[in-house]
Amino acid sequence: MGDLANQLRQELNRYSPGGKLPSSRAFVERFRVSPVTVSRALAQLAAEGLVVTRPGAGAFRAEPRAAITSTAGDTSWQEVTLSADAAAELVPRTVDASGVLASLAAPPPGVVEFNGGYLHPSLQPERAMGAALSRAGRRPGAWSRPPMEGLPELREWFARGIGGAIGAAEVLVTAGGQSALTTALRALAPPGAPVLVESPTYPGMLAIARAAGLRPVPVPVDPDGVKPALLADAFRATGARVFVCQPLFQNPTGAVLAPERRGEVLRIARDAGAFVVEDDFVRRLVHEDAGPLPRPLAAEDPDGVVVHVGSLTKATSPSFRVSALAARGPVLERLRAIQVVDTFFVPRPLQEAALELVGSPAWPRHLRTVSAELKARRDTMTAALRLRLPELALPHIPFGGYHLWVRLPDGTDESALVAAALRAGVAVTPGRPYFSAEPPAAQLRLSFAAVAGTEEITEGVRRLTAAYDEVRP
């Protein structure tokens, strides 16, 4: 679709403003593409203001926009208003989305996407999702308002996935993991408060915390997860009442919290009177060679220490934004109230589609397929890096998730390598945004899930090698 849109964009000068473009059928025959591709290309140009589509009449070149003659306003006053928190000796609620955009922004055509955070379309269950959405749309009442907390059957499904004593009544359906984390942090910590985070950790969570006026305090992670002794020290030093962690296939390190540390982390948080926000974001992206997975921390927590976040998005599609918040005790009511104020509820057709999808025979087949494919991709990327870039350290090879975390040799300019890689035709994610304080070394996160297949991984590593040769210290 992008190529067709580019071709049409270049040809617009052939038509006078307001002039009619050829019919969609003419474009189909000329470019040998499907009608859907033509429709999407025209929609892209319409969104850019270059084309106007009129149902029943066709597509027309847009008229030039009238020049703006009004005097430009003075918006300098906003600097004072937006910095009022700092003036009041609070933590400024700065919003830096650069770390999130690094994995959301699509690279230019032809660039190998090692920076992606979602499954490649070839790995997404598109047919099953489409069928589920179609069936869901025909259900009686599918377009009516759902319960604020979510459909009971979907809440029950998420509760079963957590295990332990968690029941459906303790689950809230939310619109994606990012939304769930935002609700959790707003519920658990007031502006200006410290919040303990793993180091390194997911940049989107750091952005949430800073946007809410919280102060992220790093606690180092090793291949066995967060270090309990340092976690206890951080609670004592800061007085924090929240710790956010990813005990399973941590982003970006891929670490799994070791069995002997799980109970200790819960005990340390409980002794500090603190909550643990468990971001269980990729439990369904386990690799084929993994053994039995540890249960969520929430399943081992009878005292309401853990606020659990689970999601369907990573295992399906970035647009399938259905997730869950689970908690015990009075905090559940606060979480519910904040979610209702922010979003009212998750659209019912999407919840119904989620139920249709996870209840269909296609769901377990999809998970098995993804499990095998992710292992093959992980092994291909690992082998290619060890062959072509042995200087890059791979401290941990995960058995779940969708990326590798590599350490660059001392003296490597991380930003220069990221820029050189893009020039060479491969997009990679810099390590700096994953740290809330100064990083200990230059690092990269390399995703193997967002590319078309193993051949593209091999080619991407070849391009990365050329980029590294350009900036080698």
Side-chain angles (χ1 to χ4, degrees), residues 197-201 206 210 216-219 432-439:
V197 300
E198 294 172 315
S199 182
T201 191
L206 293 177
R210 288 167 177 151
V217 178
V219 184
R432 180 63 187 89
Y434 290 82
F435 294 89
S436 60
E438 292 76 13

Side-chain angles (χ1 to χ4, degrees), residues 174-184 208 309 321 323 325 339 342-343:
T174 62
Q178 188 79 354
S179 173
L181 288 171
T182 300
T183 296
I208 292 170
V309 177
R321 307 203 63 77
S323 63
L325 265 173
Q339 176 174 307
D342 282 352
T343 61

